[in-house]
Amino acid sequence: MKASQNVGKKGGQVVLLTGAAQGIGRATAKALATRGFRLGLMDRHGEPLAELASELKDQAMVATAQVDVRDPASLKQAVASLEERLGPTEILVACAGVGTTSNSLDLDVEGFRQMLEVNVVGVAHSIDAVLPGMYARQAGHIVGISSVAGYRGMPWMPGYSASKAALTTYLEALRPALKRRGVTITTVYPGFVRTGMTLDTRFRRPVPMLEAEQAAAYLVRAIVRRPRDYTFPLGTAIGMEILRRLPCRLFDWVMDRAGPRALTSEF
């Protein structure tokens, strides 16, 4: 774990953000910086993380730690180091995540394992690292990034859908007990965002994709407002809610036509 600090303007609440160096995480860090939050930025990719911190140093108080959320010991050290420089964690945004496409002819079990380790267990490690302090202060806000892809099994991304469904259920199970200790949980369900996975030519795009900056604007809204659940954009939220409520036979029929054909090798 490597840590560094770039101090800019003193801000308000302390936000720890995992997966901060790229994608939605990077865009969210920039959006939070303009609002005066103190930012503890974590990512396993050191160079882009350092570049981001340098870019934000004149806008906000920023500290960074190069760490992998799959390594619980290093993650706890990173959180302790960031809190020493920024103050106690008031908000955790667990943005670190990975995803790949696959199908029944190539299950990519190794990729599935990695998605579970990062998208589910990595979030659990991140929460575990900040909870003792939140419990002691009887206050805190945890924001977990699930996905509309976890509403039901998407045939072009079975592993990713499963990991996000697992995360949703995990956060839901934690919510009652944490709430009694003053810690709230917001589960965020982004629509399809333009990333390396969604740009895969095999990926079927049922709805228009958001840019990372657009997703970040929605995510900041969820951070500030603290809803229980937050799905965006509205059109995708409505469409996916309808899909989630479809009878199983009808859902299977729709997916057979919308997704890749399992018995072909062209996916």
Side-chain angles (χ1 to χ4, degrees):
M1 184 270 291
K2 297 180 180 178
S4 64
Q5 182 178 28
N6 295 281
V7 179
K9 298 177 182 177
K10 291 186 177 181
Q13 290 180 296
V14 175
V15 178
L16 295 194
L17 178 65
T18 66
Q22 51 198 339
I24 298 175
R26 189 181 189 91
T28 301
K30 292 181 180 181
L32 290 171
T34 64
R35 287 175 169 260
F37 288 92
R38 284 176 284 172
L39 301 177
L41 306 179
M42 293 180 282
D43 201 284
R44 63 191 178 96
H45 300 290
E47 186 173 341
L49 186 65
E51 292 173 356
L52 176 62
S54 178
E55 183 178 343
L56 299 181
K57 65 181 181 181
D58 293 329
Q59 300 178 53
M61 186 173 183
V62 180
T64 65
Q66 182 181 353
V67 65
D68 193 323
V69 295
R70 294 172 295 184
D71 183 343
S74 295
L75 187 58
K76 288 183 178 180
Q77 292 176 7
V79 169
S81 175
L82 293 173
E83 290 187 331
E84 184 177 345
R85 288 169 284 156
L86 296 172
T89 301
E90 294 165 277
I91 302 169
L92 168 68
V93 183
C95 217
V98 295
T100 61
T101 53
S102 63
N103 76 340
S104 60
L105 294 180
D106 179 13
L107 291 180
D108 186 18
V109 176
E110 175 59 24
F112 181 34
R113 182 186 64 80
Q114 292 179 9
M115 282 185 275
L116 290 174
E117 287 182 351
V118 176
N119 299 352
V120 185
V121 181
V123 174
H125 288 327
S126 302
I127 294 172
D128 187 49
V130 301
L131 268 188
M134 290 184 174
Y135 282 165
R137 297 185 300 276
Q138 293 285 295
H141 184 201
I142 294 168
V143 181
I145 313 302
S146 185
S147 171
V148 295
Y151 277 16
R152 297 193 78 162
M154 301 290 105
W156 55 86
M157 50 172 70
Y160 185 75
S161 287
S163 72
K164 291 302 186 178
L167 176 60
T168 295
T169 305
Y170 182 74
L171 295 175
E172 186 172 59
L174 293 181
R175 187 174 281 111
L178 267 61
K179 185 177 180 180
R180 288 194 292 271
R181 292 199 172 195
V183 181
T184 59
I185 293 179
T186 294
T187 305
V188 178
Y189 305 87
F192 297 101
V193 181
R194 196 178 302 277
T195 65
M197 180 180 68
T198 55
L199 289 179
D200 190 320
T201 57
R202 303 170 302 174
F203 181 78
R204 307 300 178 91
R205 293 176 277 276
V207 294
M209 288 189 292
L210 293 172
E211 300 297 335
E213 293 74 17
Q214 293 174 300
Y218 283 109
L219 182 51
V220 170
R221 192 176 304 166
I223 293 169
V224 172
R225 296 181 180 179
R226 299 192 173 203
R228 181 190 189 278
D229 300 284
Y230 190 65
T231 306
F232 62 84
L234 179 60
T236 300
I238 294 172
M240 294 302 294
E241 185 61 31
I242 293 172
L243 194 65
R244 178 159 61 176
R245 294 176 183 274
L246 284 181
C248 292
R249 287 182 180 273
L250 181 55
F251 174 80
D252 291 347
W253 183 87
V254 171
M255 289 297 101
D256 183 50
R257 283 147 183 80
R261 295 303 181 107
L263 298 180
T264 71
S265 60
E266 296 177 357
F267 172 66

